[in-house]
Amino acid sequence: MSTSDPLDFFDTVDQTIDAPRAPRRKRKLLDNLSIYLPVLLMGLLALVSYWLLRATPAPESAEPERPVSTEPDYFMRRFSVKAFDAKGTLKTEVKGVEARHYPGTDMVEIDDARIRHIGDQGLPTLATARLVTTNGDNTEFVLRGDAVIVREAGNDLNGQPQPRLEFRGEFLHVFLEPDRIVSDQPVTLLRGSDRLVADTLDYTGEDQVARFKGRVKVQLAPR
């Protein structure tokens, strides 16, 4: 029997313990993720962009301009249209049995038309015809068929008396700005009690001058 300490065998035992370490596989996985994560995100972004592109409807191709229709685009029947100036004063009123608007020319045809207009001199003018064509802002009228324009007698803005004027013919072209009546067809003009017949007419309301061409016949009432 040995005389040595019975606990001496502990001296031969390695009592040191290694510190815990992170698993190598987990660390390698994190390293790989840090390397490939940007690539994965870019790939995901590309897929989302592709999906959005497929989901977005394609832009419609521009349609070629369609020719303007020669047919009317709207009708009015038994109508009355009024126009006022900046002060709210009635300037023009147009009535008719039927009106047709043509988009190609922005013109309106009126059957059995009746037009009442207050001129710059303050005197009312009444026009009637079987067919009237007018522009979009009602400043120009073409009267066809039993055309009659009557400018009533009265005093102008300066207080001067003005005789009654009446124009008759199958064709009368009326301009409101400036005040003018023209015709290239025979016209009858009644001024007070006087009567005048001519082949053509060009009348300006501002200076109240009528110009005639062709054969002219005048009948003057005794004064």
Side-chain angles (χ1 to χ4, degrees):
M1 178 178 294
S2 173
T3 59
S4 60
D5 191 339
L7 299 178
D8 288 344
F9 74 93
F10 285 107
D11 297 336
T12 63
V13 179
D14 187 1
Q15 299 183 30
T16 62
I17 300 175
D18 294 336
R21 300 177 180 178
R24 293 183 177 180
R25 180 177 300 177
K26 186 175 181 180
R27 179 178 297 174
K28 186 177 181 179
L29 179 60
L30 291 175
D31 292 341
N32 290 338
L33 284 177
S34 63
I35 294 174
Y36 293 106
L37 183 60
V39 178
L40 293 175
L41 291 177
M42 292 181 65
L44 180 61
L45 181 61
L47 289 175
V48 172
S49 300
Y50 175 75
W51 179 82
L52 289 175
L53 183 62
R54 291 291 301 272
T56 302
E60 298 181 359
S61 57
E63 297 183 359
E65 294 185 2
R66 299 179 180 179
V68 180
S69 175
T70 58
E71 298 296 324
D73 57 352
Y74 70 79
F75 299 83
M76 292 188 296
R77 293 183 173 89
R78 302 293 178 183
F79 69 95
S80 174
V81 177
K82 298 179 180 180
F84 300 84
D85 61 13
K87 297 180 180 179
T89 304
L90 178 64
K91 294 293 292 183
T92 305
E93 182 178 10
V94 180
K95 297 181 180 180
V97 174
E98 179 178 291
R100 299 170 294 277
H101 177 261
Y102 293 87
T105 58
D106 194 26
M107 303 295 285
V108 178
E109 284 185 349
I110 307 171
D111 295 335
D112 294 332
R114 181 182 178 90
I115 304 164
R116 187 175 185 271
H117 174 71
I118 306 299
D120 294 336
Q121 300 297 321
L123 300 178
T125 297
L126 179 64
T128 59
R130 290 199 303 266
L131 178 65
V132 172
T133 303
T134 177
N135 57 352
D137 55 2
N138 291 332
T139 59
E140 183 177 343
F141 300 88
V142 177
L143 286 67
R144 295 182 175 90
D146 293 334
V148 178
I149 300 175
V150 177
R151 184 161 301 173
E152 297 294 347
N155 295 329
D156 60 17
L157 297 179
N158 298 321
Q160 299 298 322
Q162 301 296 326
R164 181 180 184 275
L165 292 177
E166 181 175 339
F167 304 85
R168 290 182 173 271
E170 288 299 308
F171 175 86
L172 294 173
H173 196 163
V174 182
F175 301 88
L176 300 184
E177 298 175 2
D179 186 8
R180 187 182 177 199
I181 302 174
V182 299
S183 178
D184 58 359
Q185 299 181 24
V187 175
T188 299
L189 170 61
L190 303 176
R191 185 179 186 275
S193 301
D194 299 334
R195 179 185 179 90
L196 187 148
V197 179
D199 289 340
T200 65
L201 169 69
D202 189 344
Y203 172 83
T204 54
E206 182 177 359
D207 53 13
Q208 300 182 12
V209 173
R211 299 173 179 86
F212 307 97
K213 292 183 179 179
R215 295 172 298 177
V216 179
K217 297 180 180 180
V218 180
Q219 180 179 348
L220 300 177
R223 296 295 191 270

